[in-house]
Amino acid sequence: MHFQRRCGRIDSTHASWPKLTAVFHTASQLIVGAVAARGPSQDSPDFPAAMRQAAANLGPRRILADKGYDAEHNHALCRRELGIRSTVIPLNPRNAPGPPKGRYRRMMHDRFPNRQYRHRAQAESGFSRHKRRLGSALTARTEPNQFKELLIRTLTHNIMILADAA
């Protein structure tokens, strides 16, 4: 990419990279849902696909996510469609005055469970573990192959955890 940018083949203001949205099981650090996409971009659009995978693989009762996923439709997806009892996503402050208008965002505003949210750090720990064991650089050069490599790495991550537990 550096060589292409230096030769003028790629505009340096439009650089992008592969990005992984992953759902971790906090107790085991297994990846139960993963979506590969291009960055830089918002996190929220990848949330539904990753959560549907996680719900099919695990059937979680509670979801802990960061502010990047704070949207009424994400809370509603988890609660109504996937049957998850509790979504713990901190509110991303908006410019609108007063409490949020949506039902689930207003619930987060009124009674955010700080004690439960501290477990979200396990996801960051899971990413750290993943990068320590498998590295942070991809070897694939084309976009489709980079996406495949990201997903293969999630599978490898899970196999390594299961092998350690055996």
Side-chain angles (χ1 to χ4, degrees):
M1 172 107 32
H2 169 73
F3 176 75
Q4 290 175 327
R5 199 175 303 123
R6 195 178 76 194
C7 294
R9 293 185 197 151
I10 294 178
D11 181 7
S12 62
T13 61
H14 293 94
S16 66
W17 52 84
K19 176 181 138 182
L20 181 69
T21 297
V23 179
F24 284 86
H25 179 254
T26 55
S28 65
Q29 293 183 341
L30 286 170
I31 299 173
V32 294
V35 174
R38 289 304 296 167
S41 66
Q42 273 189 314
D43 293 335
S44 191
D46 299 328
F47 184 82
M51 282 309 309
R52 285 186 178 102
Q53 284 180 24
N57 291 330
L58 184 66
R61 292 177 301 182
R62 178 179 300 122
I63 294 301
L64 310 171
D66 64 17
K67 286 182 183 182
Y69 301 104
D70 174 39
E72 185 67 22
H73 62 269
N74 288 338
H75 289 279
L77 167 82
C78 291
R79 298 280 188 106
R80 287 189 212 140
E81 182 182 324
L82 302 177
I84 298 168
R85 291 184 320 157
S86 173
T87 56
V88 182
I89 304 171
L91 294 178
N92 193 356
R94 311 273 201 281
N95 291 331
K101 303 289 186 253
R103 175 183 176 190
Y104 299 112
R105 291 189 74 238
R106 193 169 44 251
M107 286 170 62
M108 284 292 101
H109 177 268
D110 294 342
R111 55 177 191 240
F112 186 79
N114 283 316
R115 198 165 136 213
Q116 293 172 358
Y117 187 68
R118 283 182 266 171
H119 294 284
R120 199 199 72 75
Q122 291 297 322
E124 299 304 328
S125 179
F127 271 119
S128 174
R129 182 180 195 178
H130 177 86
K131 288 179 179 180
R132 274 193 325 271
R133 295 177 109 186
L134 300 171
S136 60
L138 299 177
T139 58
R141 295 292 170 225
T142 65
E143 183 175 304
N145 288 341
Q146 288 174 341
F147 290 172
K148 288 175 190 172
E149 185 177 347
L150 282 172
L151 297 177
I152 288 170
R153 282 171 170 250
T154 64
L155 180 61
T156 305
H157 171 89
N158 287 346
I159 291 170
M160 291 170 81
I161 290 173
L162 293 172
D164 287 347

